[in-house]
Amino acid sequence: MQEEFKPLVEDAATACKNYFGEKLLALYLHGSIAMGDAIPYVSDLDTYIVISEELGNDDKHCIEQMEKELQRKHSVAKEIHLSVHSVIDLVKDKFARFVLKYNSALYFGNDIGQELDKSGYEKFEPNAEMAKGRLAFARQCFDQALNKKRPMCTGEIPTDTYYASRKYARYFVIVEGAYFLMSRNEFASFEKEEVLNKLYKYAEEFREELDMTSEILKAPERAGITHDEFLKRIRPLVEWMFNMIEKSECKNSESIQMKVKYHASE
């Protein structure tokens, strides 16, 4: 986590501890702050907070007020999202547990998602079934972006075209690249450098697109590529990954079918 965001995250954790007390079991970070590549005044703070009981209406109102107060004190984040869930919610939502395990960072408390997985609850594994199960959703999201609509998977798109390119680079090259690697049994994490390095191995013919993605992720303004141009140039790569996922072999005769929506930061 970058130094600029530490006071905000500390205050968010303190506010949750003060309000929920012993009911607070865990606070996870996900998105760019968790990955250590957030941009001050551009990125959001995204959290997944686990408590021992169901939320009441009064709780929901108080959480909204906490978000507003944190936003007032910490303009370093564009938006602040305190996403609070009960343990029962997490038991039922195996996709949330998958995201917590592979694309989040535990900031406070016990790793509840991991504990539930070890307890024998049904879970998703990072394999071809997982990749194929969300393929229709991924294709729909990419079509939405190509047609100048906000994709379901990304949340808000930055108004600055270069930062929009960065967001699309993360979701349509890094995230979809990670799912492509799952279909090859080569997945380890959603960390951008690891995903890019493995994509260079499997997608050598798209080296130019991968180089461009790397530059945009490092310095979107310096790269100077608009989001419309970026989407146009990565289209062959993304469609190739989708096709390779579709052709991958699953252990089961039919892949799992998923309809997933996940909040995205930036």
Side-chain angles (χ1 to χ4, degrees), residues 127-139:
N127 54 25
E129 282 90 348
M130 180 70 180
K132 294 182 80 167
R134 62 176 296 284
L135 186 55
F137 172 78
R139 281 177 162 152

Side-chain angles (χ1 to χ4, degrees), residues 14-240:
T14 298
C16 289
K17 292 174 187 176
N18 290 341
Y19 181 75
F20 291 111
E22 293 183 357
K23 293 192 295 183
L24 179 63
L25 303 178
L27 188 155
Y28 297 86
L29 305 175
H30 58 93
S32 54
I33 291 180
M35 297 297 108
D37 61 358
I39 300 173
Y41 311 104
V42 173
S43 298
D44 296 347
L45 169 64
D46 285 294
T47 66
Y48 192 102
I49 299 161
V50 185
I51 60 174
S52 57
E53 301 175 5
E54 295 288 341
L55 278 173
N57 290 329
D58 290 343
D59 293 327
K60 295 175 182 178
H61 174 73
C62 289
I63 291 166
E64 290 176 0
Q65 296 306 309
M66 288 163 61
E67 290 174 335
K68 291 178 181 179
E69 178 62 17
L70 288 167
Q71 192 75 70
R72 185 188 66 78
K73 291 176 60 178
H74 301 279
S75 60
V76 67
K78 184 179 179 182
E79 293 184 1
I80 294 171
H81 306 283
L82 303 178
S83 182
V84 184
H85 306 267
S86 71
V87 174
I88 299 302
D89 293 332
L90 196 55
V91 167
K92 296 176 180 178
D93 193 346
K94 58 184 178 180
F95 184 73
R97 283 186 272 122
F98 176 87
V99 173
L100 294 181
K101 182 174 181 179
Y102 292 106
N103 201 22
S104 302
L106 180 66
Y107 182 78
F108 169 82
N110 298 324
D111 193 346
I112 304 299
Q114 186 83 329
E115 291 177 6
L116 291 174
D117 283 348
K118 290 180 178 179
S119 298
Y121 291 102
E122 187 180 8
K123 60 183 178 180
F124 286 130
E125 297 290 353
N127 54 25
E129 282 90 348
M130 180 70 180
K132 294 182 80 167
R134 62 176 296 284
L135 186 55
F137 172 78
R139 281 177 162 152
Q140 184 179 5
C141 289
F142 192 54
D143 284 343
Q144 289 170 333
L146 291 172
N147 289 307
K148 303 183 186 301
K149 299 177 182 178
R150 190 184 82 178
M152 291 183 291
C153 63
T154 61
E156 293 293 333
I157 300 297
T159 55
D160 183 291
T161 188
Y162 302 129
Y163 286 116
S165 292
R166 183 177 182 267
K167 189 150 200 172
Y168 286 139
R170 170 175 291 170
Y171 278 88
F172 294 125
V173 179
I174 302 303
V175 171
E176 298 309 333
Y179 283 104
F180 161 74
L181 293 173
M182 290 181 204
S183 74
R184 309 280 301 187
N185 292 317
E186 288 279 349
F187 172 81
S189 77
F190 286 92
E191 200 280 320
K192 61 181 183 295
E193 293 298 333
E194 180 161 358
V195 173
L196 278 173
N197 287 339
K198 289 184 177 179
L199 286 179
Y200 277 116
K201 171 184 173 182
Y202 286 109
E204 292 181 1
E205 64 269 40
F206 297 106
R207 177 168 290 275
E208 182 177 336
E209 290 82 354
L210 296 173
D211 287 343
M212 174 180 60
T213 297
S214 180
E215 290 303 313
I216 288 172
L217 290 170
K218 290 176 183 176
E221 292 178 320
R222 187 175 64 199
I225 301 172
T226 67
H227 65 283
D228 287 335
E229 178 66 16
F230 177 70
L231 288 168
K232 178 181 176 182
R233 291 171 65 178
I234 65 167
R235 184 172 184 173
L237 166 62
V238 176
E239 291 181 345
W240 175 83

Side-chain angles (χ1 to χ4, degrees), residues 246-262:
E246 187 171 40
K247 294 176 182 177
S248 63
E249 294 185 3
C250 298
K251 293 180 181 179
N252 300 321
S253 58
E254 295 183 4
S255 65
I256 53 176
Q257 295 300 311
M258 297 171 55
K259 290 183 179 179
V260 295
K261 293 182 181 180
Y262 46 95

